[in-house]
């Protein structure tokens, strides 16, 4: 066991973890933030995407200890109280989700995409979503949501 | 995942000491290969030595007509570096085509070449540009470094420090990504430095990345599209699996070579 200390959605946590504990399991099982999902065991689906020090990463492929002393944002940390984040709002407005399983990862990826690209077109969004799989929507409305959000942000 | 100990180190010396003290240790860089492998229980090191925070390994700089990249520099940093975009645009394009944005934020160039996955992209750039690899013990040419499938010249207690790429603007990389994994089904890197032509192929051979001598000769004799079209890769020794037969992959390599050649001449 080793001590991990980090800040998640603005809250400081300090806890012992097994060295082999994956960040996603630390977030879900130890911190009870179950918005972050696990959709595969091949590091391909992106349901587990969170931001570590502002960078989008797959939390299923990172150890909790690698995130020691970092600042993490998960899907739970985006909204401001009752007010949804513009990307969350855009997904709701544009029907950007069906079952919702991929959505937390999609939205965390989308925030990162919008942060890195001042102008977004459909082609760029589709390329940038390479690491996020959705089994329901056919991506059409996800892409629409992200472009709509980028125009508001 | 099996149990292991995790250890973060701050210097190259510390990393090397840990490796020598415990031969069952493995380096952890971006983790984009080793963690998925350990999750599948295909690897079970006793200790992971995290080198991602070693400051001296994270850099990109220009030095006497080379671009030198520190081993823990991640793919995103390489793809977005203005220096690399200007000096070796083919390298920044290659980095941008690796996996997806989340993988590029973590995966490192040192990890990618040390792993020597037969379908990885960077090994093609190393051979295709004639890179030199600096380790904690010595300097190696790319030809010396890449030995075979998942095998490099690295010894148990040796780590990659940096990779030095000669600045060759006349270069291009083209891969046909596997539609599911995005790893190359066949990828061809071509460079032309005055009369010196190099052609490297990844994704195809059963022995990992290789220099395509016949194509190099053909292009050295006559730098033209018909020289590329006249050479055909033999399916002998080319991988065959559920994603494609040897014949299919060999043909893909032929086509990637044509497109890479066109990329240089555009
Ligand atoms: C979904 C997905 C898609 C991907 N797509 C592609 C792709 O299209 N093309 C591609 O090329 N790659 C792809 N990759 C692999 C990615 O590029 C990895 O980043 C890379 O293979 C390994 O780098 P790493 O820093 O993550 O290494 P790690 O996983 O940390 O380490 C890999 C191996 O190298 C050793 N090692 C690491 N650094 C050093 C060092 N400095 N010295 C000595 N040994 C070292 C480790 O001990 C380990 O054995 C993909 C990965 C994923 C998860
Ligand atoms: S759970 Fe699928 S990529 Fe992380
Ligand atoms: S909405 Fe169901 S997986 Fe994307």
């Amino acid at each position: 066991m080793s001590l991990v200390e980090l800040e998640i959605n603005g809250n400081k946590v300090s806890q012992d973890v097994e060295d082999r504990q994956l960040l996603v399991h630390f977030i879900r099982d130890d911190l009870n933030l179950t918005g972050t999902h696990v959709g595969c065991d091949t590091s391909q689906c992106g349901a587990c995407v969170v931001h570590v020090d502002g960078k989008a990463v797959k939390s299923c492929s990172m150890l909790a200890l690698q995130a020691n002393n970092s600042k993490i944002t998960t899907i739970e940390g985006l909204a401001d109280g009752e007010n949804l984040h513009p990307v969350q709002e855009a997904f709701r407005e544009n029907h950007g989700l069906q079952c919702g399983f991929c959505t937390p990862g999609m939205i965390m990826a989308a925030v990162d995409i919008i942060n890195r690209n001042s102008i977004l077109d459909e082609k760029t969004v589709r390329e940038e979503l390479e690491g996020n799989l959705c089994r329901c929507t056919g991506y059409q409305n996800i892409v629409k949501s992200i472009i709509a959000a980028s125009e508001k942000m | 995942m099996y149990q292991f100990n995790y250890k973060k180190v701050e210097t190259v010396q510390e990393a090397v000491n840990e490796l020598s003290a415990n031969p069952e240790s493995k380096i952890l860089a971006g983790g984009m290969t080793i963690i998925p492998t350990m999750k599948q229980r295909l690897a079970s090191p006793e200790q992971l030595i995290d080198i991602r925070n070693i400051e001296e390994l994270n850099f990109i700089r220009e030095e006497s007509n080379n671009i030198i990249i520190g081993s823990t520099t991640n793919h995103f940093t390489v793809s977005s570096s203005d220096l690399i975009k200007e000096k070796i645009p083919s390298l920044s394009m290659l980095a941008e085509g690796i996996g997806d944005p989340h993988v590029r934020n973590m995966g490192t160039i040192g990890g990618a070449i040390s792993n020597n996955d037969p379908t990885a992209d960077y090994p093609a750039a190393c051979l295709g540009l004639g890179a030199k690899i600096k380790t904690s013990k010595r300097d190696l040419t790319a030809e010396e470094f890449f030995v075979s499938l998942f095998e490099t010249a690295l010894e148990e207690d040796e780590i990659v420090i940096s990779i030095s790429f000669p600045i060759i603007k006349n270069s291009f990389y083209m891969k046909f990504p596997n539609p599911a994994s995005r790893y190359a089904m066949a990828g061809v890197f071509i460079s032309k430095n005055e009369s010196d032509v190099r052609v490297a192929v990844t994704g195809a051979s059963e022995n990992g990345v290789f220099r395509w001598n016949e194509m190099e000769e053909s292009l050295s004799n006559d730098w033209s599209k018909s020289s590329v079209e006249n050479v055909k890769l033999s399916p002998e020794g080319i991988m065959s699996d559920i994603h494609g037969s040897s014949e299919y992959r060999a043909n893909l390599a032929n086509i990637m070579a044509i497109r890479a050649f066109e990329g240089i001449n555009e």
Side-chain angles (χ1 to χ4, degrees):
Chain A
M1 301 284 268
S2 305
L3 183 69
V4 60
E5 289 182 296
L6 48 79
E7 196 180 306
I8 187 156
N9 302 332
N11 303 316
K12 289 205 159 47
V13 295
S14 163
Q15 200 165 314
D16 274 327
V17 295
E18 270 194 89
D19 287 18
R20 64 175 168 173
Q21 176 87 301
L22 292 171
L23 181 59
V24 71
H25 292 140
F26 179 65
I27 291 173
R28 286 178 54 84
D29 304 344
D30 292 2
L31 305 179
N32 285 321
L33 294 168
T34 53
T36 303
H37 292 167
V38 177
C40 73
D41 58 6
T42 52
S43 311
Q44 281 173 316
C45 77
C48 62
V49 171
V50 301
H51 296 183
V52 175
D53 292 329
K55 300 255 192 261
V57 299
K58 290 177 166 170
S59 61
C60 71
S61 303
M62 185 171 180
L63 303 171
L65 286 171
Q66 283 176 283
N68 202 8
N69 297 320
S70 68
K71 285 198 172 123
I72 299 181
T73 308
T74 67
I75 188 71
E76 289 90 346
L78 286 186
D80 176 16
E82 293 293 301
N83 298 321
L84 292 180
H85 183 278
V87 178
Q88 292 174 307
E89 190 59 48
F91 269 66
R92 185 165 75 176
E93 284 291 307
N94 293 283
H95 196 57
L97 60 146
Q98 289 182 24
C99 80
F101 195 85
C102 69
T103 313
M106 283 290 175
I107 289 181
M108 296 314 288
V111 172
D112 176 61
I113 295 170
I114 295 169
N115 287 342
R116 277 185 293 111
N117 294 277
S118 42
I119 311 161
L120 274 181
D121 53 26
E122 185 179 335
K123 183 166 176 283
T124 311
V125 175
R126 286 184 184 273
E127 276 171 10
E128 289 276 348
L129 285 180
E130 183 58 57
N132 294 82
L133 300 181
C134 175
R135 298 305 298 266
C136 305
T137 63
Y139 302 96
Q140 204 64 25
N141 288 347
I142 292 178
V143 176
K144 209 165 122 193
S145 305
I146 296 174
I147 291 175
S150 75
E151 284 160 2
K152 291 214 174 108
M153 277 167 75
Chain B
M1 221 179 330
Y2 293 111
Q3 292 279 9
F4 60 86
N5 289 322
Y6 169 90
K7 173 124 191 161
K8 191 176 275 185
V9 294
E10 310 285 338
T11 65
V12 170
Q13 194 53 52
E14 238 184 300
V16 170
N17 291 348
E18 286 294 331
L19 278 178
S20 323
N22 182 352
E24 296 299 314
S25 299
K26 275 269 183 200
I27 296 289
L28 170 66
M32 290 298 101
T33 294
I34 196 160
I35 293 181
T37 313
M38 289 171 66
K39 279 165 68 179
Q40 309 272 1
R41 297 193 162 180
L42 295 172
S44 53
E46 276 173 16
Q47 174 169 264
L48 283 185
I49 305 160
D50 186 353
I51 61 167
R52 205 161 55 103
N53 295 293
I54 301 183
E55 280 299 322
E56 57 187 306
L57 294 182
N58 192 358
F59 65 86
I60 297 175
R61 63 167 178 260
E62 183 179 356
E63 217 175 273
S64 48
N65 223 17
N66 285 282
I67 294 291
I68 308 182
I69 306 179
S71 69
T72 62
T73 311
N74 67 43
H75 309 331
F76 174 74
T77 307
V78 171
S79 73
S80 57
S81 150
D82 288 332
L83 181 67
I84 298 180
K85 275 186 198 156
E86 187 201 328
K87 303 288 176 179
I88 319 180
S90 57
L91 194 59
S92 79
M93 274 179 51
L94 176 144
E96 201 176 342
I98 297 178
D100 59 56
H102 325 307
V103 168
R104 294 196 289 274
N105 275 335
M106 290 298 291
T108 68
I109 186 167
I113 67 163
S114 303
N115 195 49
N116 195 15
D117 187 308
T119 62
D121 298 308
Y122 270 125
C126 292
L127 273 187
L129 287 165
K132 297 250 173 11
I133 290 122
K134 184 178 165 62
T135 76
S136 49
K137 290 190 175 169
R138 53 200 164 141
D139 290 315
L140 295 164
T141 61
E143 284 81 355
E144 289 162 341
F145 184 84
F146 298 109
V147 174
S148 185
L149 222 53
F150 296 108
E151 197 187 328
T152 65
L154 287 175
E155 289 166 12
E156 299 273 303
D157 59 345
E158 183 174 21
I159 73 169
V160 174
I161 304 291
S162 63
I163 300 97
S164 173
F165 294 96
I167 295 176
I168 306 176
K169 261 207 170 145
N170 268 336
S171 55
F172 209 83
Y173 177 63
M174 194 51 110
K175 75 164 162 178
F176 186 88
N178 177 308
S181 75
R182 311 315 281 175
Y183 276 94
M185 297 273 295
V188 177
F189 198 107
I190 304 185
S191 78
K192 182 178 192 296
N193 193 14
E194 290 168 15
S195 62
D196 187 20
V197 176
R198 281 175 166 261
V199 182
V201 183
T202 188
S205 167
E206 285 169 351
N207 294 318
V209 68
F210 68 96
R211 277 178 75 178
W212 190 354
N213 298 326
E214 226 189 317
M215 185 64 89
E216 290 182 353
E217 262 165 45
S218 174
L219 277 172
S220 306
N221 292 336
D222 172 27
W223 181 256
S224 72
K225 193 171 164 192
S226 59
S227 297
V228 188
E229 287 167 338
N230 288 339
V231 180
K232 299 275 180 256
L233 189 65
S234 154
E236 189 125 344
I238 298 298
M239 285 191 277
S240 174
D241 55 25
I242 53 165
H243 306 296
S245 63
S246 335
E247 289 76 17
Y248 178 78
R249 275 205 175 76
N251 185 53
L252 268 185
N254 296 335
I255 292 173
M256 293 305 114
I258 296 171
R259 292 191 187 163
F261 178 83
E262 286 172 343
I264 295 183
N265 292 296
E266 245 164 34

